[in-house]
Amino acid sequence: MIEKRWGLFHRWGPYVLLGFSLLMATATGGAVGMGRGDWYASWGLVGGGLALQLWWGRASRTRPEPSPAGVCYYVLRWAIGFALAWINPFFAFYAVLGYFGSERLLPPRLVKPGLFATAITMSGSQSGGLPPDGELGWVVFGGLIAVNVALLTVFAHLATQEDERARAQAATIAELERTNTALQQAMDENAALHAQLLVQAREAGVADERRRLAAEIHDTIAQGLTGIIAQLQVVSGARDEKLAREHLDRAADLARHSLGEARRSVHNLSPAPLEHDRLPEALEKTVTQWAERTGVRADFTVTGTAEHLHDEIEATLLRIVQEALSNTARHADAARLGVTLSFMGDEVTLDVRDDGRGFDPLAPVERTGTGGFGLDGMRARAERIAGSLTVESEAGGGTAVSARVPLVRHEH
């Protein structure tokens, strides 16, 4: 904004000041003793000033920096201002233009001489006109030159300091812009990395589910089908109807059992409780149904402000709770169980505690063929989403399973 205002001044200021000087000279011509020849010379110089300004208005568009044309313009403008101020001191309003834009028009070695020349013109006007009248006039003229030069020195020093401060501010702003750009790039990279990690976690989860499903098919469904085939082969060669009926019943039982295993595997692959409910509601229903099925008193609690978590986070926490409940039902012989879901700043914790018989957490636990993937699988699930799982237990003292995972909000 400041540069634009200075641009307007350098473009239109000479016209305004030349016109104002002409008005003042016209009003005071009789008082300063201007004759007809002085008026002819003034009008000629004013016309020359207008022509010079019109020429420079076009030439300056292609010469923004100090150039020979700029030096010529500055010298001619000063000469016109000096001659006009010699005729009438009030033309100094036009001559004062020499104080402005000298750095823009003159090379550094000519700036001070140009300012000094302007100070001579202004001092002559301030002392009553050029040439000074008598010895006293010359003394006053010399004193005014000294004052004007001193003022120029002070203002030049202040202008230099202001330029240095402006350059320092510009450098600071440029550095801040570079820093902000780098910070924005880092944030974009972090966001991309975060999305990539979630995709990798999801892919790892899918791969894990596929491995688990393949193992269950091999351990249950495939074995069941093998048993069915064996029973049917016996039936095909049996002549005793009672024996054939017995083997057919066994084949039917194996088929029903295999069907149940297939449904359980598919159910575990896609968490049905999360299809219509968010994690707190799904966990509460899971705990309630488990309590009704097992007859164990079970309580569910939510602490903190519940938030809509990322699908992978919710699915992982639900799987951990389901496995923990399954382990409690099979092994703990507990009378009471509590599940707590806590939202704490940038992480979510899930605690499952029972008052069962407990066990030694350091002892190796073999995976059984009745489903589930044990404590190691629960821990692996938590670690895949940058979380952790701890188990505290002792004989006769119950068991506490605690999972801590980052709070990653749902992507809208």
Side-chain angles (χ1 to χ4, degrees), residues 183-197:
L183 180 59
Q184 184 62 44
Q185 291 176 349
M187 293 176 63
D188 293 341
E189 291 175 359
N190 287 339
L193 180 60
H194 174 71
Q196 183 179 359
L197 289 176

Side-chain angles (χ1 to χ4, degrees), residues 80-372:
I80 293 173
F82 180 83
L84 287 172
W86 186 286
I87 297 172
N88 189 319
F90 283 96
F91 275 110
F93 286 105
Y94 173 70
V96 78
L97 288 169
Y99 284 149
F100 302 96
S102 57
E103 296 86 355
R104 185 173 59 91
L105 297 172
L106 302 176
R109 70 178 185 278
L110 296 180
V111 171
K112 290 183 178 180
L115 293 175
F116 181 74
T118 302
I120 292 176
T121 305
M122 298 305 297
S123 299
S125 175
Q126 293 164 0
S127 65
L130 294 172
D133 186 13
E135 184 178 350
L136 180 61
W138 281 101
V139 172
V140 173
F141 175 68
L144 288 173
I145 288 180
V147 172
N148 278 280
V149 170
L151 291 175
L152 282 175
T153 302
V154 172
F155 286 119
H157 178 68
L158 295 176
T160 300
Q161 290 184 333
E162 182 65 22
D163 290 341
E164 292 178 354
R165 187 177 67 87
R167 284 193 294 269
Q169 287 182 343
T172 302
I173 293 173
E175 182 63 27
L176 288 175
E177 290 178 350
R178 288 192 295 269
T179 303
N180 288 337
T181 301
L183 180 59
Q184 184 62 44
Q185 291 176 349
M187 293 176 63
D188 293 341
E189 291 175 359
N190 287 339
L193 180 60
H194 174 71
Q196 183 179 359
L197 289 176
L198 288 178
V199 171
Q200 292 177 351
R202 186 179 296 109
E203 292 176 350
V206 171
D208 180 76
E209 291 293 343
R210 288 175 177 173
R211 288 192 296 270
R212 182 193 60 78
L213 186 58
E216 291 193 3
I217 291 175
H218 177 271
D219 295 339
T220 58
I221 301 176
Q223 292 181 4
L225 292 176
T226 301
I228 292 172
I229 293 173
Q231 297 297 326
L232 293 178
Q233 287 177 344
V234 173
V235 170
S236 64
R239 297 181 180 181
D240 186 350
E241 183 178 352
K242 182 178 179 181
L243 180 60
R245 174 58 59 184
E246 180 180 347
H247 286 286
L248 284 174
D249 292 339
R250 291 179 181 177
D253 292 339
L254 286 173
R256 282 190 291 269
H257 177 74
S258 298
L259 179 60
E261 289 295 327
R263 288 174 176 172
R264 184 188 61 80
S265 299
V266 172
H267 174 74
N268 287 338
L269 185 62
S270 177
L274 293 175
E275 291 182 359
H276 305 291
D277 296 319
R278 298 270 57 85
L279 181 63
E281 293 80 8
L283 289 179
E284 184 175 10
K285 291 181 180 180
T286 299
V287 172
T288 300
Q289 294 171 359
W290 180 86
E292 293 174 352
R293 186 169 62 252
T294 60
V296 177
R297 176 183 173 182
D299 300 314
F300 175 72
T301 306
V302 178
T303 63
T305 303
E307 298 195 42
H308 191 178
L309 302 177
H310 191 276
D311 294 343
E312 192 70 22
I313 302 295
E314 292 192 347
T316 298
L317 293 177
L318 177 64
R319 293 298 192 203
I320 291 175
V321 168
Q322 289 175 336
E323 184 64 22
L325 294 177
S326 177
N327 290 342
T328 301
R330 292 199 305 268
H331 309 298
D333 192 21
R336 185 172 180 177
L337 177 139
V339 177
T340 303
L341 178 65
S342 302
F343 294 84
M344 300 185 300
D346 57 353
E347 70 175 8
V348 182
T349 62
L350 181 66
D351 300 299
V352 181
R353 302 177 181 272
D354 66 60
D355 61 354
R357 61 169 60 98
F359 67 99
D360 181 6
L362 300 179
V365 180
E366 296 182 359
R367 181 182 299 177
T368 66
T370 58

